[in-house]
Amino acid sequence: MPELPEVETIARRLREILIKKTITSVTIVKEKSFQGDPQKIVGLPILDVSRRAKLIKFHLPNGLHLLAHLKMTGQFIFVAADGSRLGGGHPTDDWISQLPSKHTRVIFELQDSEGKAHHLFFNDQRIFGWIKVVTDQEVEAEFRKYGPDIHTLDASLKYFTQKISKTNRKIKQVIMDNSIVSGVGNIYACDGLNTACIHPARRASSLTPEEVKKLLHALKQVIVLGIKLGGATIDHYRTVDGFAGKYQDHVRVYGREGEQCKNCGGTIKKMQLGGRGTYYCQNCQI
Ligand SMILES: [Zn+2]
């Protein structure tokens, strides 16, 4: 599942290549993947591309936007007029094989200022992802469902402390709750807790003010590193240029069961917590 750093990386890549290109056609292969009237956006230029939580927003004129969520298996692949590719999302054969594929759900044709035609493919194996045509107000309503992005100033120590101290839920589940803070997926939750030396199953309300501060700092740090490295690509597509990220080479505990903790040399263990594989060091995470 693409996490915030992966989604941020895709948004940044798309921003570089889509700005000022005009949408000339929208082909909806799977009805479920596209909500709204595609005719409303045909003929409009893409003004900007941004990200909030794990939502990608394509800014259009007239107060309209395209909002996209990749969910479990979504991916965007831009194929330029010259055949070159750029994109990201769930890593599959579609990164490198012929498009459209059997997983292609929506195809955008885009024209640049020289009249050349390019294509943007939205592929999604499991069809949980979506693209919606929305207004300014609808974007705001969608964004209100999410807490502040963890690496931004809005996720302040005061805000984080208030949220953490109020609940007896396990700390890992609290930091992964998008209504509290956005952007902390499984990989980064495990790594942030290890950096802060906090056991994932601790009750949130039991954290001391010092631990809360350390945890917030650690989460910001791992997410910023994740974004810097283009996210994580944990599979055999890890070298596909213009798609894969490098965070997997820098993970602290995620996927490293039986290996040594980078803090203390202790052995990394794996347990199930809230149905998710959770990695931690039994020696230094208390
Ligand atoms: Zn350790």
Side-chain angles (χ1 to χ4, degrees):
M1 184 187 304
E3 297 198 13
L4 185 143
E6 287 86 274
V7 180
E8 173 66 20
T9 302
I10 298 167
R12 287 181 183 185
R13 287 177 183 152
L14 294 179
R15 185 183 304 143
E16 270 176 40
I17 47 183
L18 293 185
I19 288 183
K20 293 188 181 160
K21 289 192 173 64
T22 298
I23 301 168
T24 47
S25 80
V26 183
T27 306
I28 301 167
V29 183
K30 188 81 187 171
E31 291 284 335
K32 189 181 173 227
S33 303
F34 192 98
Q35 299 165 35
D37 180 3
Q39 286 314 313
K40 275 190 183 168
I41 61 166
V42 170
L44 298 182
I46 295 174
L47 304 177
D48 199 2
V49 182
S50 61
R51 177 207 54 76
R52 165 80 176 89
K54 291 207 289 185
L55 295 159
I56 300 173
K57 182 166 87 165
F58 302 81
H59 305 234
L60 304 172
N62 314 332
L64 285 179
H65 309 269
L66 274 178
L67 206 56
H69 200 308
L70 302 174
K71 296 281 179 175
M72 305 277 292
T73 58
Q75 53 181 210
F76 275 113
I77 300 178
F78 176 82
V79 182
D82 65 5
S84 62
R85 288 183 180 206
L86 207 62
H90 186 61
T92 68
D93 269 343
D94 288 333
W95 278 11
I96 46 177
S97 57
Q98 175 130 24
L99 293 174
S101 76
K102 62 180 179 182
H103 306 122
T104 298
R105 309 305 178 196
V106 183
I107 307 166
F108 296 90
E109 192 181 86
L110 303 140
Q111 203 174 62
D112 63 22
S113 56
E114 294 169 7
K116 284 187 196 147
H118 310 265
H119 293 88
L120 179 68
F121 295 89
F122 178 65
N123 302 328
D124 188 12
Q125 286 186 344
R126 296 181 63 182
I127 327 181
F128 291 124
W130 47 257
I131 300 173
K132 286 181 198 173
V133 181
V134 288
T135 62
D136 288 331
Q137 292 84 350
E138 287 166 330
V139 168
E140 286 314 310
E142 190 73 36
F143 285 176
R144 274 198 294 274
K145 297 176 188 168
Y146 299 91
D149 286 352
I150 186 72
H151 62 298
T152 63
L153 292 174
D154 289 341
S156 66
L157 180 59
K158 189 180 166 198
Y159 171 86
F160 194 62
T161 304
Q162 274 171 0
K163 294 289 179 185
I164 299 271
S165 58
K166 266 191 208 158
T167 176
N168 283 323
R169 290 156 68 204
K170 291 173 179 150
I171 187 62
K172 178 163 178 261
Q173 288 169 309
V174 175
I175 58 177
M176 287 181 69
D177 180 341
N178 280 323
S179 68
I180 293 178
V181 283
S182 293
V184 186
N186 200 28
I187 298 173
Y188 302 95
C190 291
D191 279 8
L193 286 162
N194 175 259
T195 305
C197 296
I198 295 167
H199 194 284
R202 274 274 295 281
R203 297 287 161 189
S205 56
S206 77
L207 267 64
T208 66
E210 191 52 38
E211 285 175 322
V212 173
K213 192 176 167 185
K214 234 173 130 182
L215 178 58
L216 179 63
H217 181 73
L219 290 171
K220 287 176 184 280
Q221 204 180 22
V222 291
I223 290 292
V224 168
L225 180 64
I227 291 171
K228 192 177 150 202
L229 296 170
T233 306
I234 298 180
D235 60 45
H236 57 287
Y237 295 98
R238 53 174 64 197
T239 58
V240 179
D241 214 26
F243 286 83
K246 292 190 170 71
Y247 183 79
Q248 66 279 0
D249 301 332
H250 298 261
V251 283
R252 297 188 62 83
V253 285
Y254 186 84
R256 297 186 59 236
E257 187 180 13
E259 295 178 30
Q260 276 192 349
C261 171
K262 294 181 180 183
N263 297 332
C264 72
T267 305
I268 293 165
K269 295 278 181 192
K270 183 183 181 183
M271 65 173 182
Q272 290 296 318
L273 205 156
R276 305 298 297 271
T278 300
Y279 299 85
Y280 66 103
C281 169
Q282 59 175 4
N283 187 40
C284 68
Q285 288 181 250
I286 53 170

